[in-house]
Amino acid sequence: MLAELALGATTLSTSGLGVWAHRLWHRLHTDPLTGLANRARMHRAFHRARRLRRSNSPLGVLLIDVDRFKHVNDTHGHRTGDAVLCTIATELQAATGPGELPVRLHGDELAVLLTRTDAGEVAEKRAAEIRRTVRGTRVIDGHPIELSLSVGAATTCPNSGELSDLLALADQRMYQTKPSRKAVTR
């Protein structure tokens, strides 16, 4: 694939090279199924925000897991599971704003990177808002699918901690919400 891309680059004009480079960057930093940013883009955005941050305001991450996703795949098949992920990705993109980067990490695990200056104050609030936004029954591939998300929020000061530490903390908090949310919804 890289050889094909390199060969394609040598046959492009100078003006076409910029378009080609943009397409390559997009391809390398975007999840092909959902169109959301991927882990590589999240990593770049996190480190860029740390570098450019003038204040000591925190950065944040919301880690999102699709509840009962395995059941959807087992019951309706992976094509429907993919359609569920695309539906959630569309709703997640619509629910996020400036300073919020929606990301597909892998499988049914998503995230929102909060680089906005008030990330420390709004992380928990944004987690609750996203849970409410992507909740309820949707007809997907002709099947009524009940959607709900478990969301864990974590923040860190820009000069301390790595993205992996922030994701691990958000993961712990997400799993702390799962049992209580399941008990409430049954």
Side-chain angles (χ1 to χ4, degrees):
M1 181 174 133
L2 287 177
E4 292 171 3
L5 293 173
L7 180 61
T10 60
T11 62
L12 291 174
S13 68
T14 305
S15 63
L17 192 56
V19 172
W20 179 83
H22 176 73
R23 285 183 183 157
L24 178 61
W25 185 93
H26 188 267
R27 196 169 170 184
L28 292 172
H29 293 92
T30 304
D31 176 63
L33 176 66
T34 62
L36 295 177
N38 64 13
R39 186 181 290 268
R41 185 162 171 206
M42 180 183 195
H43 190 305
R44 289 175 60 102
F46 176 81
H47 288 286
R48 183 174 192 272
R50 277 180 48 169
R51 208 175 43 250
L52 297 176
R53 206 59 150 222
R54 286 182 172 59
S55 67
N56 201 25
S57 60
L59 298 170
V61 70
L62 310 178
L63 192 65
I64 303 166
D65 188 65
V66 180
D67 296 333
R68 298 173 301 280
F69 185 71
K70 183 180 181 328
H71 176 73
V72 170
N73 275 336
D74 291 349
T75 304
H76 303 293
H78 291 281
R79 190 180 108 200
T80 300
D82 287 350
V84 165
L85 290 174
C86 290
T87 297
I88 291 171
T90 299
E91 293 185 23
L92 190 59
Q93 283 179 317
T96 53
E100 300 178 346
L101 178 67
V103 178
R104 179 175 181 216
L105 297 172
H106 57 82
D108 67 323
E109 193 170 80
L110 309 165
V112 176
L113 177 64
L114 302 174
T115 59
R116 46 191 285 180
T117 56
D118 62 349
E121 300 153 22
V122 301
E124 292 290 339
K125 177 183 169 198
R126 293 299 292 135
E129 289 170 352
I130 287 171
R131 263 194 303 270
R132 281 192 303 273
T133 298
V134 184
R135 184 172 189 81
T137 303
R138 312 288 192 284
V139 177
I140 301 172
D141 268 0
H143 306 285
I145 308 283
E146 182 68 29
L147 297 182
S148 66
L149 305 175
S150 294
V151 184
T155 59
T156 186
C157 289
N159 297 328
S160 65
E162 291 297 318
L163 180 58
S164 58
D165 298 331
L166 194 57
L167 285 167
L169 181 57
D171 188 55
Q172 289 174 353
R173 291 181 177 164
M174 187 234 344
Y175 277 102
Q176 288 172 355
T177 67
K178 269 189 174 276
S180 63
R181 287 178 30 74
K182 285 183 181 178
V184 170
T185 59
R186 289 187 180 187

